Amino acid sequence: MKFKDHWADYARYLPAPNDHFVKFAEQATTSALKKRLPRGVRAKHTNFLNPASPLFCWPNVLYTATFAVGNGKPTIISNRDRTKTFVLGDSGGFSLISGAVSSSMGSWRAATLDWQEAECDVGIIVDVPTRAIDVLASGYTSFQSCLDQTVDNAKFAIGNRSRPDLKLLAVYQGRTKFEADKWAGVMETFQPNFEGMAIAGHTRLEIADWIRRFRSMMDRGLFDTVAHIHFLGTAQPRFAVLATALQRALRKYVRADLAVTFDSSTSFTFVQKFGQIVTGLQADRKDFRLVNHTMPNRGGEFNSLTPFPYRSPLADLCTVGDFLPGTDPTTTPSDMVGNNMLSHHSVYSELSAILQANRLVDMAQEGMNGLVPYDISLAIGMIDKAIAGSGQALIDLQRLLSRPGSKITARVEDRADEA
């Protein structure tokens, strides 16, 4: 399965693998590993960046500096074919302020920029998330201190970047609409020095408010260099189809090559911490959402010889015991190999669900199905008109998405560097 061949002009979803997966999928086969894997499967087959993988291929990922900087081992990121793949390099800002990274701000931002220029196609500058205010170890106690440090980091990136073809994204943060507006008012003055925007913070999925800011920047000539917009931290199909509508409208009215992407690490963090996998898409008149399943957490709670009950190119070759080899009823049945295999399966299910949701929307717009929630169909039309310049469409979109009980952008997930 080559997802790229079926993706059309949809906003791209970037799975955000952790360091365990990118090393596992690059390792050579040993006799012990060969015995552990299902018949005919090799660790390298799970490298979905490789167009020759016999399982599935998807050439786009987000990878965080948290895992990359200082890691000398080969990974599917460092060894990828640069002509056939795309990597967006996140800055690891949350890891830095939470204490997971021990480097100073000065050394971290320099090392991150060096890594992005060496291995990435697009990079996000080092930010200080406004969530840092609630993290005692961060040392940042106010909104202004987070903004000031991120501005200083932006100036550093502008003054020290050296690779002309690397796109850099300025970061936009904020815990509330007021904070997001204040942050944007400062950061947008630096936007002409960058090639795009990374939308972060608690309001990052409030797409109507971001369209309002985009329109304001367009009117003031501050959007001219924007070629890439990335929304951090979601894989939800209801947001994915709105991101596609945004990309199509921006390409139609603003810039023909503008890209919109979004990411999530849930198929790695949730799978490997909690055994929660994505199994597919639920689509009906009320909602689009990912369906999840939590694997057994004790050995002996399942028949290990049973075929795996969910479909994917890898799962179709496996029994439950291939993913969960442990049989001791007092301990977890999972291991490193099984966890990485489950992550591979879950990414396939995420991509399938997002692709299906986009196709259902396209079919609904042509009057060919009724499985798209009515408010999503309305929002898609409003996004097009709002980007075209309709103030009334923007007002209508804001009202639609802010209604009590709205599910379109309600779920906010984690950034990749929180793994």
Side-chain angles (χ1 to χ4, degrees), residues 16-18 62-67 90-98 100-101 108 124 126-127 129 131 173 232-233 263-265 269 273 414-419:
N18 58 16
L62 176 143
Y63 197 54
T64 174
T66 303
F67 302 136
D90 193 14
S91 63
F94 186 84
S95 294
L96 184 64
I97 60 96
S98 65
V101 172
W108 181 254
I124 299 175
V126 176
D127 62 317
R131 289 177 59 183
Q173 282 278 353
L232 285 143
D263 77 274
S264 174
S265 64
T269 55
K273 288 183 179 180
D414 293 333
R415 277 182 59 162
D417 60 324
E418 296 180 66

Short mmCIF file of all heavy atoms in Angstrom, two decimals, residues 16-18 62-67 90-98 100-101 108 124 126-127 129 131 173 232-233 263-265 269 273 414-419:
data_model
loop_
_atom_site.label_atom_id
_atom_site.label_comp_id
_atom_site.label_asym_id
_atom_site.label_seq_id
_atom_site.Cartn_x
_atom_site.Cartn_y
_atom_site.Cartn_z
N ALA A 16 4.37 11.02 14.20
CA ALA A 16 5.54 11.51 14.92
C ALA A 16 6.16 10.37 15.72
O ALA A 16 5.85 10.16 16.89
CB ALA A 16 5.15 12.66 15.86
N PRO A 17 7.05 9.58 15.10
CA PRO A 17 7.61 8.41 15.77
C PRO A 17 8.55 8.79 16.90
O PRO A 17 9.13 9.89 16.92
CB PRO A 17 8.37 7.69 14.65
CG PRO A 17 8.72 8.76 13.68
CD PRO A 17 7.56 9.72 13.72
N ASN A 18 8.70 7.86 17.86
CA ASN A 18 9.67 8.08 18.93
C ASN A 18 11.00 7.43 18.57
O ASN A 18 11.15 6.81 17.52
CB ASN A 18 9.13 7.55 20.26
CG ASN A 18 8.77 6.07 20.20
OD1 ASN A 18 9.19 5.34 19.30
ND2 ASN A 18 8.00 5.61 21.17
N LEU A 62 6.90 13.77 11.21
CA LEU A 62 7.48 14.78 12.09
C LEU A 62 8.40 14.05 13.05
O LEU A 62 8.03 13.01 13.60
CB LEU A 62 6.40 15.54 12.85
CG LEU A 62 6.91 16.58 13.87
CD1 LEU A 62 6.00 17.81 13.90
CD2 LEU A 62 7.01 16.01 15.29
N TYR A 63 9.60 14.58 13.24
CA TYR A 63 10.52 14.00 14.22
C TYR A 63 11.05 15.12 15.09
O TYR A 63 11.27 16.24 14.62
CB TYR A 63 11.67 13.27 13.52
CG TYR A 63 12.42 12.33 14.43
CD1 TYR A 63 11.74 11.34 15.15
CD2 TYR A 63 13.81 12.40 14.57
CE1 TYR A 63 12.43 10.47 15.97
CE2 TYR A 63 14.50 11.52 15.38
CZ TYR A 63 13.80 10.56 16.09
OH TYR A 63 14.47 9.69 16.92
N THR A 64 11.22 14.83 16.37
CA THR A 64 11.58 15.89 17.30
C THR A 64 13.06 15.87 17.64
O THR A 64 13.68 14.80 17.75
CB THR A 64 10.77 15.78 18.60
OG1 THR A 64 11.25 16.73 19.56
CG2 THR A 64 10.86 14.39 19.21
N ALA A 65 13.61 17.05 17.84
CA ALA A 65 15.00 17.19 18.24
C ALA A 65 15.27 16.50 19.57
O ALA A 65 16.41 16.11 19.86
CB ALA A 65 15.36 18.67 18.34
N THR A 66 14.25 16.33 20.39
CA THR A 66 14.41 15.63 21.67
C THR A 66 15.05 14.27 21.48
O THR A 66 15.89 13.85 22.26
CB THR A 66 13.04 15.45 22.35
OG1 THR A 66 12.43 16.73 22.52
CG2 THR A 66 13.17 14.76 23.68
N PHE A 67 14.65 13.56 20.43
CA PHE A 67 15.19 12.24 20.15
C PHE A 67 16.40 12.29 19.22
O PHE A 67 17.23 11.37 19.25
CB PHE A 67 14.12 11.36 19.51
CG PHE A 67 12.88 11.18 20.34
CD1 PHE A 67 11.62 11.25 19.77
CD2 PHE A 67 12.97 10.96 21.71
CE1 PHE A 67 10.48 11.07 20.52
CE2 PHE A 67 11.83 10.79 22.48
CZ PHE A 67 10.58 10.85 21.89
N ASP A 90 10.69 19.04 14.63
CA ASP A 90 10.19 19.80 15.76
C ASP A 90 11.36 20.16 16.67
O ASP A 90 12.40 19.50 16.68
CB ASP A 90 9.14 18.97 16.52
CG ASP A 90 8.36 19.79 17.53
OD1 ASP A 90 8.41 21.04 17.47
OD2 ASP A 90 7.69 19.20 18.39
N SER A 91 11.17 21.20 17.48
CA SER A 91 12.29 21.75 18.22
C SER A 91 12.49 21.16 19.60
O SER A 91 13.51 21.40 20.24
CB SER A 91 12.09 23.26 18.38
OG SER A 91 10.93 23.52 19.16
N GLY A 92 11.54 20.39 20.10
CA GLY A 92 11.68 19.83 21.43
C GLY A 92 11.53 20.84 22.54
O GLY A 92 12.08 20.67 23.63
N GLY A 93 10.75 21.89 22.30
CA GLY A 93 10.61 22.95 23.30
C GLY A 93 10.03 22.48 24.62
O GLY A 93 10.50 22.87 25.69
N PHE A 94 9.02 21.61 24.56
CA PHE A 94 8.42 21.16 25.81
C PHE A 94 9.39 20.30 26.61
O PHE A 94 9.47 20.40 27.84
CB PHE A 94 7.14 20.37 25.55
CG PHE A 94 6.41 20.00 26.82
CD1 PHE A 94 5.55 20.90 27.42
CD2 PHE A 94 6.61 18.77 27.43
CE1 PHE A 94 4.90 20.59 28.60
CE2 PHE A 94 5.96 18.44 28.61
CZ PHE A 94 5.10 19.35 29.20
N SER A 95 10.17 19.47 25.94
CA SER A 95 11.15 18.64 26.64
C SER A 95 12.20 19.50 27.34
O SER A 95 12.66 19.17 28.44
CB SER A 95 11.84 17.70 25.65
OG SER A 95 10.93 16.75 25.14
N LEU A 96 12.54 20.60 26.72
CA LEU A 96 13.53 21.49 27.30
C LEU A 96 13.02 22.12 28.58
O LEU A 96 13.71 22.13 29.61
CB LEU A 96 13.92 22.57 26.29
CG LEU A 96 15.04 23.54 26.71
CD1 LEU A 96 16.35 22.78 26.88
CD2 LEU A 96 15.21 24.63 25.66
N ILE A 97 11.78 22.62 28.55
CA ILE A 97 11.28 23.31 29.75
C ILE A 97 10.81 22.35 30.84
O ILE A 97 10.67 22.72 32.00
CB ILE A 97 10.15 24.31 29.37
CG1 ILE A 97 8.96 23.59 28.72
CG2 ILE A 97 10.68 25.40 28.47
CD1 ILE A 97 7.84 23.24 29.64
N SER A 98 10.58 21.09 30.49
CA SER A 98 10.13 20.12 31.49
C SER A 98 11.27 19.41 32.17
O SER A 98 11.07 18.63 33.10
CB SER A 98 9.21 19.08 30.84
OG SER A 98 9.92 18.30 29.90
N ALA A 100 13.39 17.29 30.61
CA ALA A 100 13.77 16.07 29.92
C ALA A 100 15.05 16.27 29.11
O ALA A 100 15.74 15.30 28.78
CB ALA A 100 12.64 15.61 29.00
N VAL A 101 15.35 17.52 28.77
CA VAL A 101 16.59 17.87 28.10
C VAL A 101 17.39 18.75 29.05
O VAL A 101 16.87 19.74 29.58
CB VAL A 101 16.33 18.63 26.78
CG1 VAL A 101 17.63 19.16 26.19
CG2 VAL A 101 15.63 17.71 25.78
N TRP A 108 21.01 24.35 23.22
CA TRP A 108 19.95 23.54 22.62
C TRP A 108 19.47 24.12 21.30
O TRP A 108 19.31 23.40 20.31
CB TRP A 108 18.78 23.38 23.58
CG TRP A 108 17.69 22.53 23.01
CD1 TRP A 108 16.48 22.92 22.54
CD2 TRP A 108 17.73 21.11 22.83
NE1 TRP A 108 15.75 21.86 22.07
CE2 TRP A 108 16.50 20.73 22.23
CE3 TRP A 108 18.68 20.13 23.09
CZ2 TRP A 108 16.21 19.40 21.91
CZ3 TRP A 108 18.39 18.81 22.77
CH2 TRP A 108 17.17 18.46 22.19
N ILE A 124 10.95 23.65 12.86
CA ILE A 124 10.24 24.56 13.76
C ILE A 124 11.27 25.15 14.72
O ILE A 124 12.03 24.41 15.35
CB ILE A 124 9.15 23.81 14.55
CG1 ILE A 124 8.11 23.22 13.59
CG2 ILE A 124 8.48 24.73 15.56
CD1 ILE A 124 7.06 22.35 14.28
N VAL A 126 13.00 26.77 18.02
CA VAL A 126 12.83 26.43 19.44
C VAL A 126 11.91 27.45 20.10
O VAL A 126 12.15 28.66 20.03
CB VAL A 126 14.19 26.38 20.16
CG1 VAL A 126 13.99 26.11 21.65
CG2 VAL A 126 15.08 25.32 19.53
N ASP A 127 10.85 26.95 20.71
CA ASP A 127 9.91 27.81 21.40
C ASP A 127 9.90 27.48 22.89
O ASP A 127 10.41 26.45 23.31
CB ASP A 127 8.50 27.64 20.83
CG ASP A 127 7.99 26.21 21.00
OD1 ASP A 127 8.77 25.27 20.76
OD2 ASP A 127 6.82 26.02 21.37
N PRO A 129 6.90 26.84 25.21
CA PRO A 129 5.44 26.73 25.26
C PRO A 129 4.87 27.45 26.46
O PRO A 129 5.46 27.46 27.55
CB PRO A 129 5.22 25.21 25.36
CG PRO A 129 6.48 24.59 24.84
CD PRO A 129 7.57 25.54 25.21
N ARG A 131 2.65 26.50 28.21
CA ARG A 131 2.44 25.49 29.26
C ARG A 131 3.57 25.50 30.28
O ARG A 131 3.43 24.97 31.38
CB ARG A 131 2.31 24.11 28.64
CG ARG A 131 1.04 23.89 27.87
CD ARG A 131 1.01 22.53 27.21
NE ARG A 131 1.14 21.45 28.16
CZ ARG A 131 1.21 20.17 27.83
NH1 ARG A 131 1.16 19.83 26.55
NH2 ARG A 131 1.33 19.23 28.74
N GLN A 173 2.06 30.56 20.01
CA GLN A 173 1.62 29.90 21.24
C GLN A 173 0.44 30.66 21.87
O GLN A 173 -0.04 31.66 21.33
CB GLN A 173 2.77 29.84 22.24
CG GLN A 173 3.79 28.75 21.96
CD GLN A 173 3.35 27.40 22.49
OE1 GLN A 173 2.33 27.27 23.19
NE2 GLN A 173 4.10 26.36 22.14
N LEU A 232 0.24 21.57 15.41
CA LEU A 232 0.86 20.57 16.26
C LEU A 232 -0.16 19.79 17.07
O LEU A 232 -1.05 20.36 17.70
CB LEU A 232 1.85 21.26 17.21
CG LEU A 232 3.15 21.72 16.56
CD1 LEU A 232 3.62 23.02 17.14
CD2 LEU A 232 4.23 20.65 16.74
N GLY A 233 -0.04 18.46 17.02
CA GLY A 233 -0.68 17.63 18.02
C GLY A 233 -2.10 17.17 17.79
O GLY A 233 -2.92 17.28 18.70
N ASP A 263 0.20 16.82 12.92
CA ASP A 263 0.91 15.64 13.41
C ASP A 263 0.33 15.12 14.72
O ASP A 263 -0.41 15.82 15.42
CB ASP A 263 2.39 15.97 13.64
CG ASP A 263 2.59 16.74 14.95
OD1 ASP A 263 2.48 17.99 14.94
OD2 ASP A 263 2.84 16.10 16.00
N SER A 264 0.71 13.90 15.04
CA SER A 264 0.39 13.33 16.34
C SER A 264 1.38 12.21 16.64
O SER A 264 1.83 11.50 15.73
CB SER A 264 -1.03 12.78 16.39
OG SER A 264 -1.27 12.11 17.61
N SER A 265 1.69 12.04 17.91
CA SER A 265 2.57 10.95 18.35
C SER A 265 1.79 9.82 19.01
O SER A 265 2.39 8.91 19.58
CB SER A 265 3.61 11.49 19.35
OG SER A 265 2.98 11.96 20.53
N THR A 269 3.25 7.01 21.48
CA THR A 269 3.17 7.19 22.92
C THR A 269 2.04 6.37 23.54
O THR A 269 2.25 5.64 24.51
CB THR A 269 2.98 8.68 23.26
OG1 THR A 269 1.83 9.19 22.57
CG2 THR A 269 4.19 9.49 22.86
N LYS A 273 2.94 3.11 25.76
CA LYS A 273 2.74 3.32 27.19
C LYS A 273 1.51 2.59 27.71
O LYS A 273 1.52 2.04 28.82
CB LYS A 273 2.61 4.81 27.50
CG LYS A 273 3.89 5.60 27.40
CD LYS A 273 3.65 7.05 27.79
CE LYS A 273 4.91 7.88 27.72
NZ LYS A 273 4.70 9.30 28.11
N ASP A 414 -1.26 15.48 22.22
CA ASP A 414 0.05 15.85 22.73
C ASP A 414 1.03 16.19 21.62
O ASP A 414 0.92 15.70 20.51
CB ASP A 414 0.64 14.72 23.57
CG ASP A 414 -0.15 14.49 24.83
OD1 ASP A 414 -0.78 15.43 25.34
OD2 ASP A 414 -0.13 13.35 25.30
N ARG A 415 2.02 17.01 21.98
CA ARG A 415 3.13 17.27 21.08
C ARG A 415 4.06 16.08 21.08
O ARG A 415 4.18 15.33 22.05
CB ARG A 415 3.90 18.52 21.51
CG ARG A 415 3.24 19.80 21.01
CD ARG A 415 4.02 21.03 21.39
NE ARG A 415 5.39 21.03 20.89
CZ ARG A 415 6.13 22.14 20.81
NH1 ARG A 415 5.62 23.28 21.17
NH2 ARG A 415 7.37 22.09 20.38
N ALA A 416 4.79 15.90 19.99
CA ALA A 416 5.63 14.72 19.83
C ALA A 416 6.74 14.66 20.86
O ALA A 416 7.16 13.58 21.26
CB ALA A 416 6.24 14.72 18.42
N ASP A 417 7.23 15.80 21.34
CA ASP A 417 8.34 15.77 22.27
C ASP A 417 7.91 15.53 23.71
O ASP A 417 8.73 15.56 24.62
CB ASP A 417 9.18 17.06 22.19
CG ASP A 417 8.37 18.31 22.52
OD1 ASP A 417 7.20 18.35 22.17
OD2 ASP A 417 8.94 19.22 23.13
N GLU A 418 6.62 15.25 23.92
CA GLU A 418 6.15 14.89 25.25
C GLU A 418 6.17 13.38 25.45
O GLU A 418 5.70 12.86 26.43
CB GLU A 418 4.72 15.40 25.47
CG GLU A 418 4.64 16.92 25.44
CD GLU A 418 3.22 17.41 25.66
OE1 GLU A 418 2.70 17.19 26.77
OE2 GLU A 418 2.64 17.99 24.75
N ALA A 419 6.74 12.64 24.46
CA ALA A 419 6.76 11.18 24.54
C ALA A 419 7.64 10.69 25.68
O ALA A 419 8.58 11.35 26.08
CB ALA A 419 7.27 10.60 23.22
#
